[in-house]
Amino acid sequence: MGLAFKEETFRDDYTYRNSLDAIRRFPFPFPEDKYMYSVNIEPHVKGKPGSVLEFPLDIDEHYVSECRDKAITLARDPGRYASLPHMMDAQWDVLELIMESLSRDYPEQFKLTKDGNRWTWQNLPLGIENTFTFGDRSSLPMEPFEYVGRQIQGDWVILDQREGTLFADAGIVTSQADWSLAFDVGMSWHQWHAPVPRATEIGVMDRALKFMMNLQLGEPVRRLNWTMTLNPRLDTSPENYPLWGPDRNHITLDNAGDRVHLRVELQTLFRLPRSNGIVFSIRCYLISLNELATYPRWAKRFHRILKDLHPDLLEYKGLTKFHATAVEWLSRYDDGAPLDIGT
Ligand code: HEM
């Protein structure tokens, strides 16, 4: 598969853009005109060729630049990677999952050669090659989860399953929507989800946990989540709030199309073979309102979603300050007629 990687930035001059092909494959997350949290979990099965669901782990035109942005964030704040000492088996599980998936599904870009426990990994787009002993931490330049986590798009959290719940005991998190790994590491399911409004009351969190606890090896699942980001910025962490929070005060009808982005998270969950942990991957896709409106039906539906979004969700997702402007910008695409597109 031919993949052309773009040179672009996710900070400062923000040169990130989507090609027409990337817009076409954007995982638009709204199957109906309204939105509320739900247990929207489904089997992570193969999707259409070319779609973001074609392979278990999606690599796209932003891969190289996104990995570079991740490296910048980690250099400035090493706390974006954390792993508790008992997570080493799970770390190797995740390294295996990522290396096997990428080398199988993107053979022109990634190669994995095994000679017993001696593995050679070649990442051609990033120019990385290492031979190491699987299971031996000292044979890699850093912990295995950090090593592989720097070479894959999105954020990754490893969960340990014990005491009837899940604990977020390791993570590499550089593109999160305003939550902190340093704060959440070591927390249990209900603890780290505590800030989410309404979901606990409507039973979403209890049902989702039950589902997760029964996740089977070889039967990964996925769900979509979404929020909005101003400018194509990956690092919207609480630690760096002063760098991006004030952007909310500068959105106008003139600049909204370019600056306001829908941010969709394709979240996938895989049971791990040795540790019995679960790895949770949050793959982020960003699209500006201008790009979204390439498909007027998307803009029309997004107008309806945003216009009627529950005030608690507006507040939690941090949309309050620019909500009215975004709704007005999108309204020009909404003629009020029914929309039966699915997505
Ligand atoms: C939000 C982690 C799985 C539903 C969040 C947040 C974190 C998180 C850190 C942000 C909380 C904050 O504001 O501080 C995780 C991890 C998971 C997981 C590590 C791996 C097992 C799920 C699943 C569901 C779910 C399976 C299914 C319903 C939600 C919802 C939100 C949320 C609805 C609010 C999102 C928003 O409005 O943007 N999650 N989550 N999570 N999570 Fe999870």
Side-chain angles (χ1 to χ4, degrees):
M1 173 187 177
L3 257 178
F5 299 113
K6 297 174 83 180
E7 281 289 330
E8 58 196 352
T9 55
F10 298 86
R11 58 184 79 216
D12 304 324
D13 56 350
Y14 294 114
T15 60
Y16 170 95
R17 300 287 179 278
N18 286 297
S19 67
L20 275 178
D21 202 40
I23 295 173
R24 198 173 305 123
R25 73 198 297 274
F26 188 82
F28 187 73
F30 304 116
E32 51 184 0
D33 283 346
K34 55 185 187 327
Y35 178 82
M36 179 37 85
Y37 296 139
S38 63
V39 188
N40 56 336
I41 303 173
E42 60 178 5
H44 189 32
V45 292
K46 206 172 172 55
K48 286 191 202 120
S51 76
V52 301
L53 302 177
E54 178 175 10
F55 300 121
L57 305 180
D58 182 46
I59 297 290
D60 67 11
E61 64 187 22
H62 307 297
Y63 172 77
V64 171
S65 296
E66 203 172 315
C67 289
R68 281 195 197 130
D69 192 75
K70 187 180 278 209
I72 296 171
T73 303
L74 282 161
R76 293 184 184 171
D77 180 2
R80 303 304 185 83
Y81 170 76
S83 179
L84 300 185
H86 62 276
M87 297 303 280
M88 203 41 89
D89 280 352
Q91 287 205 25
W92 288 106
D93 280 337
V94 173
L95 175 138
E96 177 185 58
L97 172 74
I98 293 176
M99 288 187 177
E100 287 191 341
S101 296
L102 296 189
S103 57
R104 181 190 61 229
D105 298 331
Y106 302 92
E108 288 173 22
Q109 285 81 20
F110 306 97
K111 298 184 197 309
L112 179 63
T113 319
K114 295 184 186 176
D115 176 10
N117 275 351
R118 287 300 278 172
W119 291 20
T120 296
W121 169 247
Q122 289 168 278
N123 177 332
L124 283 83
L126 295 184
I128 295 172
E129 178 168 345
N130 283 95
T131 297
F132 60 94
T133 305
F134 186 86
D136 177 1
R137 152 72 187 91
S138 67
S139 64
L140 277 173
M142 59 191 85
E143 292 196 341
F145 180 40
E146 179 173 2
Y147 177 79
V148 77
R150 285 172 175 269
Q151 299 181 50
I152 183 89
Q153 286 169 274
D155 289 338
W156 292 71
V157 179
I158 317 182
L159 295 313
D160 192 35
Q161 183 159 331
R162 60 180 195 273
E163 300 161 27
T165 188
L166 296 169
F167 291 85
D169 283 349
I172 181 162
V173 176
T174 53
S175 55
Q176 71 272 45
D178 204 7
W179 63 275
S180 165
L181 175 70
F183 184 71
D184 284 3
V185 73
M187 281 190 184
S188 68
W189 173 273
H190 285 293
Q191 287 171 331
W192 81 65
H193 276 127
V196 181
R198 307 216 56 80
T200 302
E201 294 95 302
I202 59 181
V204 164
M205 287 309 174
D206 285 338
R207 287 204 303 281
L209 174 61
K210 210 173 258 178
F211 202 96
M212 288 300 103
M213 301 283 289
N214 289 316
L215 188 66
Q216 300 297 309
L217 187 62
E219 295 176 19
V221 296
R222 65 178 174 238
R223 63 182 291 267
L224 291 176
N225 186 42
W226 70 277
T227 187
M228 293 171 81
T229 304
L230 301 180
N231 297 314
R233 187 174 175 91
L234 289 177
D235 176 20
T236 48
S237 58
E239 287 87 351
N240 278 335
Y241 184 82
L243 296 180
W244 56 269
D247 293 346
R248 293 171 179 170
N249 301 319
H250 304 291
I251 297 305
T252 64
L253 272 182
D254 283 341
N255 67 25
D258 190 37
R259 290 203 197 164
V260 176
H261 286 67
L262 170 62
R263 171 193 185 105
V264 173
E265 296 177 353
L266 169 58
Q267 305 181 341
T268 49
L269 295 117
F270 300 80
R271 175 69 70 191
L272 299 172
R274 299 170 188 77
S275 57
N276 197 41
I278 290 176
V279 70
F280 178 59
S281 145
I282 309 155
R283 176 73 165 79
C284 168
Y285 297 85
L286 287 168
I287 192 167
S288 68
L289 293 188
N290 278 337
E291 290 172 344
L292 187 87
T294 310
Y295 291 97
R297 63 181 188 275
W298 285 356
K300 180 166 165 172
R301 170 146 294 161
F302 194 34
H303 173 249
R304 295 172 185 192
I305 299 282
L306 264 195
K307 184 164 62 72
D308 297 328
L309 197 64
H310 193 288
D312 290 354
L313 271 69
L314 278 182
E315 174 74 28
Y316 173 73
K317 289 176 185 281
L319 316 183
T320 318
K321 282 193 178 155
F322 60 92
H323 174 245
T325 311
V327 169
E328 192 178 342
W329 192 97
L330 287 163
S331 67
R332 74 186 82 162
Y333 292 93
D334 195 348
D335 56 7
L339 191 54
D340 60 357
I341 53 165
T343 57

